[in-house]
Amino acid sequence: MKVHEVDARAIFSSCGMPVPPSRLVLNAEDARGAAAEIGCPVVVKAQVLVGGRGKAGGVKLASTPEEAVLRAKAILGMDIKGIKVEKVLVARAVDIASEFYVGMVIDRRSRKPLMMVSPAGGIDIEEVARATPEKIIKTVIDPIFGILPFQMRRMTSALSGDKAIAAKIGSILSSLYKAFLGVDASLAEINPLVVTPAGEVWAIDAKINIDDSGLYRQKQIAELRDESAEDPGEVKARAAGLSFVKLDGSIGCIVNGAGLAMATMDMIKHFGGEPANFLDIGGSSSPEKVLTAMRIILRDKNVKSILINIFGGITRCDDVAAGLMEAKKQLEVDVPLVVRLTGTNEERAREMLAGTKLISAATMEEGVKRAISAAAAR
Ligand code: GDP
Ligand code: MN
């Protein structure tokens, strides 16, 4: 789950990080009072759950409360990467002498938290990683020990040669680590972390993604979810208990089990196709779940065929077949469906689907190939 900057700032701040004061406003006129209260100059920032707002014109400085209103007017209603700006943050602006990147993720290879710092801050970190990877200092942190002193020195000295500034950065890195663990984040980053000409250090941007599997014990944070800023398909899927991730390809996938879903996507890629989504209908799948899955996938206009790949165990093939029949009845299914059903009650399922236009496949490989050729033919 992605958290808005305003909430990420509050989380960082509660962990002791220096974050400039700010107010969230929903209409431009309110920016005047907010700017006056905070003290100018201020920066007016679009609150949308995508990066690169600065480049898109969604971050603007204002030197008076009147100017803050004008900037808010310009930003509210703006379209940033397909998302309409409904809220802006008015934050105290700071003077920038230098900008750094600092961030944390879970490192899959070491299965531990990974801290990344870079003197190349303020710009797209993916671009830094691609063009000049040596400018990113990576530190794997063992959660038993936390950040060790030598690791801390290596990171802070890479960012500043000034002892006083390095110490301030060190305390910010400790706060970042504390925040990351405290909210079950999968990503936490400050880009940029800035040093002012006077030698103050401030976190002027804040980004946090929460691990969805941790949300059950992060109730306060779960309530911050902003569904209007998320992919509508993913919102529907979550409500129905499906795990769904939208992708850019043309072959819709309905699969039971995350492992089989991944293997299905891999095989589609292997034979030259592109999956339109990851979708796991889970273990005990009811016909309704299949119907919902079909509804979500059919909303995507890129989808040219759908592959239903089911390995029946607890999931019964006849339940899946019943869901498909219901989908054919209720929805406008205008793309070919390729079905590979095997396991519990597969004979029953096959009888139910006999006489329909579904393309049936005996093996996963055959199913994948048929789904690819059906999509290519359209
Ligand atoms: P992003 O583009 O979505 O990552 O949004 P940021 O919050 O990182 O802002 C984009 C850029 O606006 C920053 O890299 C800065 O160059 C600039 N900016 C943001 N806040 C301030 C500020 O307080 N003072 C100054 N001088 N520039 C700022
Ligand atoms: Mn940023």
Side-chain angles (χ1 to χ4, degrees):
M1 172 188 140
K2 292 179 179 169
V3 170
H4 275 296
E5 178 189 359
V6 56
D7 300 319
R9 280 178 173 242
I11 293 167
F12 283 161
S13 180
S14 73
C15 291
M17 207 182 287
V19 179
S22 65
R23 300 274 181 284
L24 188 68
V25 306
L26 305 182
N27 67 69
E29 286 304 321
D30 292 347
R32 186 188 334 254
E37 209 179 310
I38 290 165
C40 285
V42 293
V43 56
V44 182
K45 312 182 74 176
Q47 296 297 287
V48 285
L49 295 173
V50 291
R53 294 164 303 165
K55 259 190 216 155
V59 178
K60 292 198 161 82
L61 290 162
S63 47
T64 63
E66 292 311 316
E67 217 181 303
V69 174
L70 295 178
R71 302 287 174 261
K73 246 181 212 150
I75 295 172
L76 284 163
M78 187 184 258
D79 186 281
I80 300 184
K81 298 182 184 169
I83 303 174
K84 191 172 164 225
V85 180
E86 311 265 11
K87 304 170 212 168
V88 293
L89 190 70
V90 179
R92 161 96 48 80
V94 299
D95 277 344
I96 302 177
S98 43
E99 306 183 86
F100 307 130
Y101 170 92
V102 308
M104 289 198 68
V105 291
I106 294 291
D107 177 39
R108 284 164 196 275
R109 195 170 300 160
S110 59
R111 292 179 284 171
K112 291 191 175 76
L114 174 76
M115 190 171 271
M116 291 172 289
V117 307
S118 175
I123 47 174
D124 192 356
I125 195 66
E126 283 79 13
E127 182 54 28
V128 178
R130 202 190 52 76
T132 50
E134 70 283 358
K135 286 194 184 155
I136 303 178
I137 292 101
K138 297 184 174 178
T139 307
V140 170
I141 301 169
D142 189 321
I144 290 178
F145 302 115
I147 307 173
L148 293 167
F150 82 92
Q151 295 180 314
M152 188 60 107
R153 280 195 300 275
R154 195 177 56 199
M155 291 189 281
T156 57
S157 64
L159 300 184
S160 179
D162 180 303
K163 280 225 167 71
I165 292 173
K168 286 178 193 168
I169 295 173
S171 131
I172 289 169
L173 297 184
S174 297
S175 296
L176 176 65
Y177 181 61
K178 187 174 156 200
F180 181 84
L181 292 190
V183 299
D184 291 319
S186 56
L187 176 145
E189 81 185 10
I190 308 166
N191 189 23
L193 178 71
V194 302
V195 181
T196 67
E200 294 168 13
V201 185
W202 292 98
I204 66 164
D205 192 12
K207 178 174 176 184
I208 298 179
N209 293 350
I210 310 286
D211 182 342
D212 285 342
S213 306
L215 284 175
Y216 78 96
R217 60 181 190 187
Q218 300 289 348
K219 299 225 161 59
Q220 273 181 314
I221 290 173
E223 282 169 16
L224 300 174
R225 191 189 280 281
D226 180 4
E227 296 196 330
S228 69
E230 296 183 335
D231 177 71
E234 293 184 11
V235 173
K236 272 210 182 97
R238 190 168 50 244
L242 304 168
S243 69
F244 171 82
V245 181
K246 186 183 165 347
L247 301 166
D248 298 327
S250 60
I251 300 170
C253 306
I254 297 180
V255 189
N256 69 316
L260 186 60
M262 295 297 277
T264 304
M265 290 163 52
D266 280 350
M267 201 181 265
I268 290 174
K269 283 236 175 208
H270 178 74
F271 287 112
E274 288 293 334
N277 65 279
F278 167 97
L279 193 151
D280 171 14
I281 57 171
S284 57
S285 56
S286 57
E288 291 76 47
K289 273 196 181 176
V290 177
L291 180 61
T292 310
M294 285 289 288
R295 189 170 278 138
I296 291 166
I297 291 178
L298 288 167
R299 288 180 67 254
D300 181 352
K301 294 302 156 218
N302 291 334
V303 169
K304 299 216 160 49
S305 71
I306 300 177
L307 171 62
I308 297 106
N309 186 18
I310 302 296
F311 189 88
I314 299 169
T315 305
R316 292 166 32 188
C317 293
D318 55 330
D319 274 350
V320 174
L324 288 176
M325 299 299 280
E326 206 47 43
K328 291 218 114 186
K329 235 187 271 165
Q330 293 190 26
L331 312 173
E332 213 177 294
V333 184
D334 51 1
V335 296
L337 303 183
V338 180
V339 189
R340 181 255 185 169
L341 291 166
T342 187
T344 312
N345 294 357
E346 65 174 276
E347 299 79 12
R348 244 238 327 275
R350 228 169 265 131
E351 281 163 27
M352 289 165 71
L353 296 176
T356 65
K357 279 199 214 132
L358 301 177
I359 303 168
S360 119
T363 66
M364 183 160 153
E365 182 171 328
E366 185 193 341
V368 166
K369 285 179 173 166
R370 283 179 179 244
I372 293 174
S373 55
R378 289 168 63 84

